[in-house]
Structure formats: structure tokens, C-alpha cells
Amino acid sequence: MPRTGRNDPCPCGSGKKYKLCCLEKDRAAEFATAVRQRVALQAQKDNQAAQRKDYQAALLESQALDAASNAVVDLVHAGRLDEAEQAARELLVRYPEVHDGYDRLGMVHEARGQFREAADCYRKVIEFTRANPEDYDAGFVDSFLELIVKLEFCVAEAESAVNDADRSR
Ligand SMILES: [Zn+2]
């Protein structure tokens, strides 16, 4: 649409020259629109930058979590169970919003033959999956359910062995 000339009749139909009628008002509106667009664009850029920062922070955090979580597994495999327990408890404190601490603490209890405690930890893991089902697949939950069943069996076995020992005394 061609711009109305300053000396043209005003498009509002008043019959006055544009410069003496709506020109001021139209320019002000154009300026306001341009300012709003700049502000919106800047806000979008800021938002994207913040999202990138959040994403990077989350990525670093998740790498740190993975490293700390793997360190517990290494300690368990090395048989350094006291250190492993300490590290697992630190995971629980540092990353209370994820299941990893209970997962690793369960591994430590298992390695010590503390089956009941291990099963309790794995139940906590399952509570996490129930609270955030979108973060976990069914296989994950099943693997912990299986572990719990196995551990309960070990607990029952251990108890019946104790009872047998009592009876034979
Ligand atoms: Zn006008």
C-alpha cells in the first residue's frame, strides 16, 4: 500500500490534509509497534539464551550425576563397600530428585548380603518411577520388581535357615 503523502487528503475521510489530521497519530502508532516488536524480539533472544544456559546446566548436572553414580558401582565392584555406601548417601543428598542414590545404596546392601535393606532401597526406586512415569520405561520398573522378588526370596531363605538352626539347637 503506497504511503499517504503529507499533503494528500487524510485517509480517515475528514477532508483535511493528512499532515494536519492523522499523520502524527499514525507515526506514533508505527513507532509504538516498532518498539513493541524490538522488545518482543529481544525477549525471545533472552529466552533462547536462558534456555540454552538451562540446557547446558542440566547437561553438566546430569554428567556429574552419571559420573558420581558410576563411581559407586566401581567402588562396589572393587569391594570398597564403606566408601561405596558413603558415596551412595552423598548421591541421595546431592540428587534427591532422582532414583540413583537408592539404586546405588541398594547395590551396596546387596553386596553386603543385607537383602531386606536392599529390597527397601529398590522399593524407593520404584516410588520414583511411579512419581515420574514419563522418565522411565516399563523394562526399568520390571527389572527392579524382579530384583525385589529375588531379594525377598533371599530374606525368606535366610530366615528359614535361622529357624532350622534354632530348631536343631
Ligand atoms: Zn485524518
Side-chain angles (χ1 to χ4, degrees):
M1 202 171 78
R3 247 180 127 83
T4 309
R6 295 170 56 79
N7 291 306
D8 292 343
C10 188
C12 80
S14 65
K16 292 191 221 169
K17 285 189 176 180
Y18 185 43
K19 68 180 177 189
L20 297 175
C21 188
C22 296
L23 182 134
E24 268 321 290
K25 187 180 62 141
D26 288 354
R27 291 284 147 84
E30 276 170 26
F31 180 72
T33 301
V35 167
R36 267 200 304 277
Q37 281 169 348
R38 292 267 320 240
V39 169
L41 197 67
Q42 189 58 48
Q44 203 185 348
K45 278 186 189 163
D46 290 350
N47 199 10
Q48 280 167 352
Q51 273 177 2
R52 261 199 305 277
K53 240 172 117 180
D54 283 355
Y55 175 75
Q56 279 163 353
L59 192 68
L60 282 176
E61 187 74 354
S62 115
Q63 285 167 345
L65 165 63
D66 287 344
S69 192
N70 286 337
V72 181
V73 179
D74 292 341
L75 287 169
V76 169
H77 289 161
R80 291 154 65 184
L81 299 182
D82 289 344
E83 287 165 80
E85 177 172 0
Q86 178 69 26
R89 292 194 184 280
E90 275 165 26
L91 273 183
L92 279 176
V93 173
R94 263 182 76 189
Y95 304 99
E97 69 285 354
V98 294
H99 72 272
D100 294 61
Y102 285 112
D103 184 354
R104 297 310 179 223
L105 194 57
M107 285 182 70
V108 175
H109 284 307
E110 251 191 287
R112 285 198 179 123
Q114 297 167 326
F115 304 126
R116 193 188 302 273
E117 289 84 350
D120 287 343
C121 285
Y122 295 148
R123 274 191 206 94
K124 296 269 192 190
V125 171
I126 289 178
E127 279 175 33
F128 272 91
T129 68
R130 301 253 191 271
N132 308 285
E134 68 282 359
D135 293 342
Y136 299 94
D137 56 39
F140 182 90
V141 178
D142 287 347
S143 69
F144 279 94
L145 287 171
E146 271 171 38
L147 266 174
I148 289 169
V149 169
K150 246 184 253 171
L151 288 164
E152 292 296 353
F153 180 76
C154 291
V155 169
E157 287 269 276
E159 275 171 0
S160 84
V162 167
N163 289 338
D164 288 350
D166 282 350
R167 262 197 298 279
S168 63
R169 221 180 279 157

